Amino acid sequence: MLELKHISFEVPADNATLGILKDVSLSVEDGKILVITGPNGGGKSTLARIIMGLEKPTAGQIIFDGKDITGLSISERAKLGVGYAFQQPPRFKGMTVRQLLKLARGSALTECECCNLLSKVGLCGKDYMDREVDGSLSGGEVKRIEIATLMARKLKLAIYDEPEAGIDLWSFSMLVDSFRDISCRNNESVILISHQERIMELADDMAVIADGQVQRYGTKADVLPYLMQDFNETCRFKRSRQEVDGPC
């Protein structure tokens, strides 16, 4: 179980400090999916980076399986079973997809196992296993390969930052099914940062983060109707403005 207790994060800005996150408290139970959503620039990705250890909070605690991991490094958190998929995945010239998956698993993988992992993210294993993870791959292909590396690991908590970015509709549908299977079959906790309604539908719990704060937090049944109502009201407001002011 992951618990975030009163997490704050500030950065220097013009002889002052800018609050990116302000007193954020959330939790993710074992085997559950938490979807974090909200407007761009609200602090969602920063929170994910803090959970992984890529950034250090200026205040608050991160408790994982009853242990305070606030001061632990990225590698120490990885050893505890925490994994993270970036919005913009890195590339590894000279390393094949097969080698990357093997490195992620920490042991040998059969060709069948490699194919199975890649098929879960919408890639044909025979076409991709021996390709290098370099500039010859598109952004969407690299994104899917990175997600496959997380699926190759035996994680307790997987964090996916906008996994749908750069992925075609067919592959996106396969990813949605894979995220559902991961949580149900492996008892793995999952954090999904997304604006996509189909991903939101996977949630057990949801959090809306805006202006660095948790604006709403609860079960999907409580939060999703609120989001859809807010979206519909925003659309109605924009339509009414266009009727008065004319098109832009």
Side-chain angles (χ1 to χ4, degrees):
M1 180 175 179
L2 175 74
E3 298 175 86
L4 306 180
K5 297 184 176 182
H6 308 291
I7 297 293
S8 294
F9 181 69
E10 298 176 341
V11 295
D14 298 328
N15 299 319
T17 56
L18 177 64
I20 306 299
L21 293 171
K22 308 158 192 173
D23 196 30
V24 172
S25 294
L26 298 168
S27 64
V28 190
E29 296 182 12
D30 293 341
K32 300 295 184 181
I33 297 176
L34 171 68
V35 173
I36 300 176
T37 192
N40 292 333
K44 304 183 300 298
S45 292
T46 299
L47 183 62
R49 291 171 65 85
I50 285 174
I51 295 170
M52 191 65 239
L54 295 163
E55 303 283 359
K56 299 295 183 185
T58 50
Q61 283 183 300
I62 306 170
I63 309 297
F64 185 60
D65 284 349
K67 178 181 180 179
D68 189 337
I69 65 168
T70 313
L72 296 188
S73 67
I74 301 169
S75 57
E76 288 171 321
R77 297 183 198 205
K79 289 176 183 177
L80 292 175
V82 182
Y84 179 77
F86 291 83
Q87 272 189 350
Q88 300 294 330
R91 297 172 186 266
F92 304 95
K93 185 174 175 59
M95 178 177 288
T96 66
V97 173
R98 185 198 304 265
Q99 291 169 328
L100 187 60
L101 291 173
K102 179 181 175 180
L103 184 64
R105 172 63 63 87
S107 61
L109 283 170
T110 66
E111 186 160 322
C112 182
E113 288 173 323
C114 285
C115 284
N116 185 46
L117 286 166
L118 291 170
S119 69
K120 288 181 178 179
V121 295
L123 297 175
C124 174
K126 292 185 178 180
D127 291 342
Y128 283 89
M129 277 191 294
D130 295 317
R131 290 187 64 178
E132 289 189 12
V133 190
D134 58 12
S136 67
L137 296 172
S138 71
E141 288 170 328
V142 175
K143 182 83 170 182
R144 282 180 275 179
I145 289 165
E146 184 190 41
I147 292 171
T149 64
L150 260 67
M151 292 178 176
R153 295 177 57 193
K154 298 183 187 301
L155 295 174
K156 292 183 178 180
L157 171 66
I159 307 161
Y160 298 91
D161 193 354
E162 296 194 15
E164 70 275 9
I167 293 178
D168 60 81
L169 185 61
W170 181 74
S171 299
F172 173 65
S173 180
M174 297 188 71
L175 279 179
V176 170
D177 292 338
S178 295
F179 289 139
R180 186 182 293 111
D181 290 343
I182 285 171
S183 184
C184 294
R185 187 179 64 240
N186 300 339
N187 200 37
E188 181 180 309
S189 302
V190 178
I191 295 176
L192 295 166
I193 297 174
S194 179
H195 302 103
Q196 287 283 342
E197 185 179 352
R198 284 192 62 190
I199 286 184
M200 293 180 195
E201 289 287 355
L202 296 174
D204 295 295
D205 296 310
M206 294 184 66
V208 181
I209 295 181
D211 298 322
Q213 297 176 302
V214 178
Q215 303 293 334
R216 201 169 186 94
Y217 174 51
T219 65
K220 177 180 68 176
D222 291 333
V223 178
L224 190 54
Y226 156 81
L227 283 175
M228 299 311 296
Q229 179 183 354
D230 185 57
F231 174 77
N232 290 333
E233 288 176 354
T234 300
C235 287
R236 283 197 295 270
F237 173 76
K238 287 182 177 179
R239 284 197 297 269
S240 64
R241 284 295 300 271
Q242 288 177 345
E243 290 169 1
V244 173
D245 301 334
C248 296

